[in-house]
């Protein structure tokens, strides 16, 4: 193997070694009758258009406005989300963990990249990279500082290492000053990072 | 295996670098790799645990210097070769040179796309009653299997409390090696940060893992 660097910055005027190898593999899989390239296109399109943190944001906003739904969500996340027709179906064993004034939750996968795709979309690079995976379980306050997030000194931090097929979604605290807001308005405040535990929802009136 | 992938608690990797307005893919080939992994898995060429094991066996210097989807690609290519779905000669030539091997679920075509958009089900009927109850003190076993395991190194030997019982699930350690699903009870076990990281550890920290029953002893 001559090199294993990535070519994020190259200008696409020539194909990188990796691109060539990936294309070759797809050619072989197609020629051998394992996959249809149009089906691969459809997978990519589905991820690009259908899944994403907007799904999680709707769930969080619903939980903020509907106590019965929130209770059902904390008891069985997959089942409760299954009752919301307008949100993508989730697989089994989505566990929703609630932030409180006393406890902040944060999710990591130290072994690979486990992440609730249906609720949050594909994970960002930092979630899958060594700095986050190595430090989140040992120095979560240091990691939060990298995100510009500071917690009260005495607040408990609970880190959930996603080491099985269980998936976790953080239910952040509802921002102050949102009394009377609709679910749709509230969903606009819910960020991806707030559902991983590396951030907070946006404050009302903050620039988006 | 005690591979470089088992990163919890390692030092020296630097700061987390969030990327504002990160694109879903940084290059087109990344999306093709994602789709090929999803498609070949759904077609029955491998299970999720096997695919993780192949990524874990990428040599450490390559693992650490490769981007996420590059690791997926390297793991996929090697796994498909070793399982007889393609040959090294075909990879070198960039073309098929012999007919394909039968896939458990058949060719991955458009009719299969929706199937990969929802996570698989990993819960299984219980072969025996659960050994542990919520609230029990358990010690993570000091095991170091050379093959795939989902018990991270940083909890081994430490005592935690069973907090949740998720029921019986496919056991990754055997599934990855294609030695069967051997369903096991799965628990969330929570550890005190200072038990894991010593007196200098954050006193407000608690860390949980999801631990299969064979990873645990009563404490």
């Amino acid at each position: 193997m001559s090199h294993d660097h990535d070519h994020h910055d190259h200008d696409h005027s020539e194909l990188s070694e990796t691109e060539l190898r990936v294309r070759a593999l797809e050619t072989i899989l197609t020629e051998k009758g394992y996959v249809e390239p149009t089906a691969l296109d459809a997978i990519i399109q589905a991820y690009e258009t259908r899944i994403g943190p907007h799904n999680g944001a709707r769930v969080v906003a619903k939980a903020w406005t509907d106590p019965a739904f929130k209770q059902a969500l904390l008891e069985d996340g997959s089942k409760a989300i299954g009752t919301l027709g307008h949100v993508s179906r989730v697989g089994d064993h989505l566990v929703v963990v609630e932030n409180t004034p006393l406890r902040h939750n944060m999710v990591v996968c130290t072994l690979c990249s486990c992440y609730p795709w249906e609720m949050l979309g594909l994970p960002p690079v930092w979630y899958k990279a060594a700095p986050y995976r190595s430090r989140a379980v040992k120095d979560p306050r240091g990691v939060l500082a990298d995100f510009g997030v500071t917690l009260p000194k005495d607040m408990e931090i609970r880190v959930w290492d996603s080491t099985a097929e269980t998936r976790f979604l953080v239910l952040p605290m509802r921002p102050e000053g949102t009394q009377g807001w609709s679910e749709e308005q509230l969903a606009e405040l819910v960020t991806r990072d707030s559902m991983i535990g590396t951030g907070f929802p946006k404050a009302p009136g903050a620039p988006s | 295996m005690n591979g470089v992938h088992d990163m919890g608690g390692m030092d020296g990797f630097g700061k987390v670098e969030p990327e504002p307005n990160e694109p879903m893919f940084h290059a087109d080939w990344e999306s093709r790799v994602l789709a090929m992994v999803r498609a070949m898995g759904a077609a029955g060429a491998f299970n999720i645990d096997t695919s993780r094991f192949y990524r874990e066996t990428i040599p450490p210097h390559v693992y650490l210097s490769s981007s996420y989807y590059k690791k997926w690609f390297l793991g996929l290519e090697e796994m498909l070769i070793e399982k007889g779905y393609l040959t090294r000669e075909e990879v070198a030539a960039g073309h098929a040179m012999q007919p394909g091997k039968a896939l458990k679920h058949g060719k991955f075509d458009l009719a299969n796309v929706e199937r990969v958009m929802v996570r698989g089900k990993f819960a299984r009927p219980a072969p025996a009653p659960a050994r542990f109850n919520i609230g029990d003190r358990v010690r993570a076993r000091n095991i170091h299997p050379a093959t795939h395991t989902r018990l991270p190194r940083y909890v081994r030997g430490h005592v935690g409390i069973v907090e949740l019982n998720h029921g019986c699930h496919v056991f990754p350690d055997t599934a990855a090696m294609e030695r069967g699903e051997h369903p096991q009870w799965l628990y969330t076990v929570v550890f005190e940060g200072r038990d894991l990281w010593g007196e200098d550890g954050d006193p407000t920290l608690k860390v949980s893992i999801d631990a299969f029953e064979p990873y645990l002893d009563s404490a």
Side-chain angles (χ1 to χ4, degrees):
Chain A
M1 219 167 286
S2 59
H3 63 111
D4 285 286
H5 304 295
D6 276 324
H7 296 266
H8 287 178
D9 300 324
H10 77 93
D11 63 7
H12 293 275
S13 60
E14 61 181 314
L15 295 174
S16 71
E17 181 197 327
T18 301
E19 280 176 282
L20 289 169
R21 288 178 63 182
V22 171
R23 283 189 182 199
L25 183 62
E26 186 174 337
T27 300
I28 298 166
L29 298 188
T30 306
E31 289 176 351
K32 289 177 87 83
Y34 298 142
V35 299
E36 255 177 26
T38 51
L40 301 183
D41 298 340
I43 292 176
I44 296 163
Q45 199 196 5
Y47 283 121
E48 285 179 335
T49 56
R50 277 177 21 207
I51 71 159
H54 57 279
N55 288 313
R58 285 168 162 181
V59 170
V60 167
K62 174 91 173 160
W64 282 345
T65 55
D66 180 342
F69 177 76
K70 177 175 150 183
Q71 195 185 341
L73 187 68
L74 293 172
E75 280 169 11
D76 185 337
S78 298
K79 193 173 157 191
I81 294 166
T83 65
L84 302 179
H86 60 300
V87 173
S88 293
R89 272 176 64 211
V90 293
D92 285 355
H93 286 93
L94 182 81
V95 175
V96 179
V97 295
E98 183 185 15
N99 282 350
T100 70
L102 299 175
R103 180 161 107 167
H104 182 85
N105 294 283
M106 210 168 122
V107 183
V108 64
C109 173
T110 62
L111 297 173
C112 50
S113 60
C114 300
Y115 190 81
W117 287 16
E118 298 90 343
M119 287 291 100
L120 299 186
L122 298 174
V125 166
W126 60 258
Y127 185 87
K128 304 176 287 195
Y132 187 72
R133 287 168 53 193
S134 61
R135 279 172 64 211
V137 289
K138 184 181 180 188
D139 178 25
R141 285 177 192 269
V143 168
L144 290 172
D146 293 346
F147 287 89
V149 168
T150 309
L151 298 176
K153 277 198 173 60
D154 54 351
M155 183 183 268
E156 179 186 316
I157 302 186
R158 169 64 179 277
V159 178
W160 301 76
D161 191 355
S162 192
T163 54
E165 298 309 329
T166 312
R167 293 291 174 269
F168 299 97
L169 183 77
V170 175
L171 174 59
M173 285 188 283
R174 178 170 172 166
E176 300 289 336
T178 56
Q179 289 77 7
W181 283 39
S182 69
E183 265 180 60
E184 290 70 25
Q185 288 174 300
L186 288 167
E188 294 293 317
L189 301 180
V190 182
T191 63
R192 176 196 67 198
D193 289 6
S194 73
M195 294 181 279
I196 302 172
T198 55
F200 300 122
K202 286 180 268 189
S208 56
Chain B
M1 62 180 283
N2 290 340
V4 68
H5 69 284
D6 187 355
M7 291 185 160
M10 288 173 78
D11 295 314
F13 285 117
K15 292 180 73 153
V16 180
E17 292 180 20
E19 183 184 1
N21 303 312
E22 182 178 331
M24 191 169 288
F25 298 105
H26 289 80
D28 286 346
W29 66 263
E30 295 187 342
S31 66
R32 303 314 289 182
V33 170
L34 170 86
M36 283 192 276
V37 168
R38 300 291 288 158
M40 291 302 285
F46 49 83
N47 66 52
I48 192 168
D49 300 302
T50 305
S51 65
R52 288 189 183 126
F53 181 54
Y54 272 86
R55 281 172 222 145
E56 291 163 5
T57 52
I58 294 170
H61 69 287
V62 179
Y63 186 98
L64 289 175
S65 59
S66 297
S67 71
Y68 181 72
Y69 288 111
K70 181 67 178 281
K71 288 195 275 274
W72 273 39
F73 170 74
L74 294 172
L76 175 67
E77 193 180 73
E78 192 62 24
M79 180 164 53
L80 293 176
I81 292 169
E82 289 205 9
K83 293 187 179 306
Y85 289 100
L86 42 108
T87 65
R88 292 192 198 282
E89 293 69 36
E90 289 174 320
V91 165
H95 281 285
M97 297 163 80
Q98 49 185 278
K101 175 179 161 179
L103 286 158
K104 196 158 84 179
H105 305 304
K107 182 178 188 172
F108 189 88
D109 58 18
L110 278 169
N112 286 292
V113 171
E114 287 310 307
R115 228 158 38 83
V116 307
M117 298 311 294
V118 179
R119 291 178 51 67
K121 292 181 185 297
F122 295 88
R124 297 290 182 272
R131 260 185 78 199
F132 304 113
N133 298 308
I134 289 168
D136 281 359
R137 280 166 54 87
V138 289
R139 187 183 300 276
R141 285 187 181 163
N142 181 24
I143 54 169
H144 298 267
T147 51
H148 181 74
T149 185
R150 297 292 283 180
L151 180 64
R153 253 180 295 181
Y154 69 87
V155 302
R156 294 179 195 166
H158 291 290
V159 171
I161 306 288
V162 173
E163 188 176 86
L164 298 170
N165 179 337
H166 301 287
C168 268
H169 287 225
V170 174
F171 188 41
D173 301 42
T174 54
M177 311 315 296
E178 297 181 338
R179 292 201 299 260
E181 293 192 337
H182 296 283
Q184 303 291 339
W185 289 93
L186 178 66
Y187 310 93
T188 293
V189 178
V190 58
F191 300 86
E192 292 291 332
R194 282 195 165 173
D195 286 346
L196 298 176
W197 310 116
E199 285 184 12
D200 293 338
D202 187 331
T204 66
L205 172 63
K206 292 180 194 291
V207 180
S208 65
I209 63 161
D210 283 349
F212 292 88
E213 198 167 86
Y215 299 164
L216 304 171
D217 284 318
S218 291

